[in-house]
Amino acid sequence: MRRRRVHVFPRRLWGCVAAILLSACAPAAGPAAGPSQETCDLLITGRVVLTMDQQSRVHRPGYVAIRQNRIVGVGPLDEADRYWPARRMDQPRKLIMPGLINGHQHAAMSLLRGMADDLELMEWLQKYIFPAEAATVDADFVYWGTRLAVVEMLQSGTTTFADMYHFLDEVARASSELGIRVVAGQTVIGFPAPDHPTPEETLRFSSGFIERWKEHPLVIPAVAPHAPYTCTRETLVASLRLAEEHDVPVLIHLAETADEVRQIQERYGTTPVRFLSQIGFLTDRVVAAHGVWLEPEEMQLLAQAGVGVVHNPESNMKLASGVAPVVEMWKAGVDLGLGTDGAASNNNLDMFEAMDFMAKLHKLVKGDPTAVSARQVLHAATMGSARALDLDDRLGSLETGKRADLLVLDLDGASALPLYDPYSLVVYSLKGPAVDTVIIDGKVVLRQGVVTKVDRQELRGRVEQYRRQVEESIGRR
């Protein structure tokens, strides 16, 4: 897949950012930069800086310097004086790290959280999810459901997420308004969807959606055929061609359940991965969610084609879909990311919890406490997801030239003490509430745990309105 052009946008007026940061930032000392100093808009210092770069550099203490929407410097604290910041955030008791990248989501389904639990996947989908969506999902539902999901994601440290759903303009609008980065694909499915009755109409919409949003700094359009068992061969091929025409990613569910494998075997006489390979669908622009039921040869096919796979341990556990062969995929060279799946099948969007589950699940399955390390899991949630989504040239680590997407984590809580290994701390000890500050594209979007651009009372009212509608749609009062 060709690299997406990185668009450089005009410098923003930093007065707004300065106002947001005022209570947490100390003004730079002195009237002007010295002759050997570089200027920057924001300098953040912390007790620990986890870079997640190729050398796995950790600075204790360290700094990150930001100019406009990019990182211009990262290093040990004693080198921070090379920068002259307009503002600075000194956080001597906090940890700074890259933003978490949720590689697979259905954000608006946050409004279906807890509606139908403890069911087998096909029963859950066919008796509850699909009927509820048909009766209640419209543009406003998607807009407010996405806003609810984005607030939850920001509060738990997600700075980028990949989304497959309906009414994608509303997903893009809600996400961009709250300042989160999104890879957004309109779900293409082989039966009437809430917004488009046929796959052909959905693909026509997708083409327009890509054109409308392709220049936006936070929205990365995609094409999203639902799965091999819900799309015909022709729909899958047409989806790939559309993505190639516009040079955008393809999002798809793949090999999630044993029943999916059975259906494809009965229909095509082969497995889902081999079927996609036969029709030329497997390319380096494809991002496959789940990958639970994979054979060794299929992992090689995915790796050779450059397909990214996103592991969703909590959803797979809750729906008893199986356990993805994570260790084997790593050995095969598959680019492996991490996701939460939607809140209707998880039931939360906390990537810290997803990391914790990922590490412990595979230790248990392998009967080996060394099978998956905290560092590997944190890599999956940052650089791994970035590589799976083909965004590792701009996201996933704190490095000069990359977008300024980062978290500041509070280390004052009891679960953060004492601090020995920062990787272990992040994966096993901390959860979403440890997130103090979130910066995306150089802008503060969460400060002291509070999303800066949301009316919580209005959001609660809208969520309650849709809860009543959903209950009516499935015969509950």
Side-chain angles (χ1 to χ4, degrees):
M1 178 177 174
R2 298 190 303 277
R3 291 290 184 190
R4 188 184 312 278
R5 288 187 298 128
V6 178
H7 302 285
V8 180
F9 291 84
R11 178 170 178 158
R12 308 295 186 190
L13 294 177
W14 273 89
C16 296
V17 175
I20 292 171
L21 295 174
L22 189 58
S23 63
C25 299
S36 63
Q37 289 179 304
E38 297 180 41
T39 60
C40 66
D41 297 305
L42 178 62
L43 182 73
I44 310 175
T45 68
R47 179 179 176 185
V48 180
V49 175
L50 274 178
T51 68
M52 301 309 298
D53 65 9
Q54 289 188 352
Q55 292 74 39
S56 298
R57 281 176 281 210
V58 179
H59 304 295
R60 305 178 67 165
Y63 78 92
V64 179
I66 297 169
R67 185 182 304 126
Q68 296 185 34
N69 66 346
R70 296 182 185 277
I71 296 170
V72 295
V74 182
L77 185 59
D78 60 9
E79 297 178 4
D81 59 2
R82 64 180 290 191
Y83 293 95
W84 188 262
R87 292 287 171 183
R88 64 184 294 151
M89 296 173 62
D90 291 312
Q91 307 285 357
R93 297 206 301 250
K94 291 183 170 63
L95 182 149
I96 303 167
M97 61 173 282
L100 300 172
I101 300 175
N102 190 336
H104 179 63
Q105 248 277 35
H106 311 284
M109 293 182 78
S110 60
L111 290 175
L112 304 178
R113 186 197 326 261
M115 179 199 69
D117 286 329
D118 306 323
L119 298 170
E120 183 268 337
L121 176 62
M122 291 303 170
E123 180 183 3
W124 177 76
L125 284 173
Q126 294 170 4
K127 290 187 178 180
Y128 294 93
I129 296 300
F130 290 157
E133 288 179 326
T136 63
V137 172
D138 58 16
D140 281 345
F141 180 103
V142 171
Y143 175 77
W144 288 102
T146 302
R147 284 181 74 88
L148 175 62
V150 170
V151 169
E152 182 180 357
M153 285 189 282
L154 291 175
Q155 289 177 331
S156 53
T158 292
T159 56
T160 297
F161 71 104
D163 195 72
M164 301 172 65
Y165 209 58
H166 311 290
F167 295 100
L168 256 287
D169 282 303
E170 302 307 312
V171 173
R173 183 165 71 96
S175 300
S176 60
E177 285 176 355
L178 296 183
I180 198 170
R181 201 180 300 277
V182 61
V183 181
Q186 174 80 19
T187 297
V188 186
I189 201 162
F191 51 81
D195 47 356
H196 301 290
T198 67
E200 293 75 19
E201 290 188 37
T202 305
L203 288 171
R204 283 195 290 272
F205 167 85
S206 296
S207 180
F209 173 77
I210 293 167
E211 290 293 339
R212 285 191 294 278
W213 290 94
K214 65 182 180 180
E215 301 296 329
H216 195 280
L218 295 177
V219 178
I220 301 167
V223 181
H226 178 264
Y229 70 94
T230 54
C231 293
T232 64
R233 181 195 307 258
E234 292 74 21
T235 296
L236 292 166
V237 171
S239 296
L240 178 63
R241 286 176 178 165
L242 179 63
E244 290 174 338
E245 176 186 344
H246 290 283
D247 191 24
V248 299
V250 176
L251 310 177
I252 190 169
H253 297 89
L254 180 62
E256 181 177 0
T257 67
D259 192 57
E260 174 189 340
V261 175
R262 178 189 58 77
Q263 288 187 47
I264 297 299
Q265 186 71 46
E266 291 174 354
R267 192 180 305 172
Y268 301 111
T270 188
T271 64
V273 172
R274 291 187 179 93
F275 165 65
L276 293 183
S277 179
Q278 289 169 8
I279 66 173
F281 188 88
L282 298 183
T283 76
D284 61 359
R285 71 179 64 252
V286 173
V287 186
H290 300 295
V292 174
W293 295 88
L294 298 177
E295 299 173 6
E297 179 187 339
E298 294 174 316
M299 297 179 219
Q300 293 294 334
L301 284 173
L302 295 173
Q304 290 166 8
V307 173
V309 176
V310 178
H311 180 37
N312 299 273
E314 293 177 275
S315 173
N316 295 158
M317 292 168 66
K318 183 167 176 281
L319 294 169
S321 299
V323 180
V326 161
V327 174
E328 290 78 7
M329 279 194 274
W330 272 330
K331 289 179 180 178
V334 174
D335 288 330
L336 187 72
L338 181 63
T340 62
D341 211 342
S345 63
N346 183 326
N347 292 25
N348 67 65
L349 309 178
D350 188 337
M351 283 286 286
F352 285 89
E353 186 171 295
M355 289 190 288
D356 188 32
F357 270 92
M358 178 181 179
K360 293 173 182 175
L361 171 63
H362 296 285
K363 294 174 189 294
L364 176 64
V365 169
K366 292 295 183 183
D368 178 4
T370 70
V372 175
S373 70
R375 184 177 299 193
Q376 287 175 303
V377 169
L378 187 55
H379 181 275
T382 53
M383 279 300 294
S385 285
R387 287 177 181 168
L389 294 166
D390 198 27
L391 297 173
D392 54 304
D393 62 331
R394 70 203 80 170
L395 303 176
S397 61
L398 302 182
E399 298 182 77
T400 299
K402 288 198 172 184
R403 300 296 175 88
D405 290 10
L406 53 94
L407 314 179
V408 179
L409 305 181
D410 187 359
L411 299 182
D412 279 341
S415 64
L417 302 172
L419 171 57
Y420 295 112
D421 179 347
Y423 296 102
S424 173
L425 177 78
V426 170
V427 172
Y428 297 126
S429 300
L430 300 183
K431 293 293 182 287
V435 177
D436 177 85
T437 302
V438 175
I439 296 174
I440 300 176
D441 222 39
K443 300 175 181 63
V444 174
V445 295
L446 181 126
R447 179 168 56 92
Q448 295 180 340
V450 177
V451 179
T452 61
K453 297 181 180 179
V454 68
D455 182 331
R456 295 177 65 86
Q457 184 173 352
E458 181 185 22
L459 181 60
R460 285 195 186 97
R462 293 284 187 162
V463 171
E464 178 59 21
Q465 169 191 333
Y466 284 113
R467 183 196 64 78
R468 292 193 295 267
Q469 292 182 19
V470 168
E471 293 220 310
E472 290 176 4
S473 75
I474 58 174
R476 296 178 188 164
R477 300 289 180 180

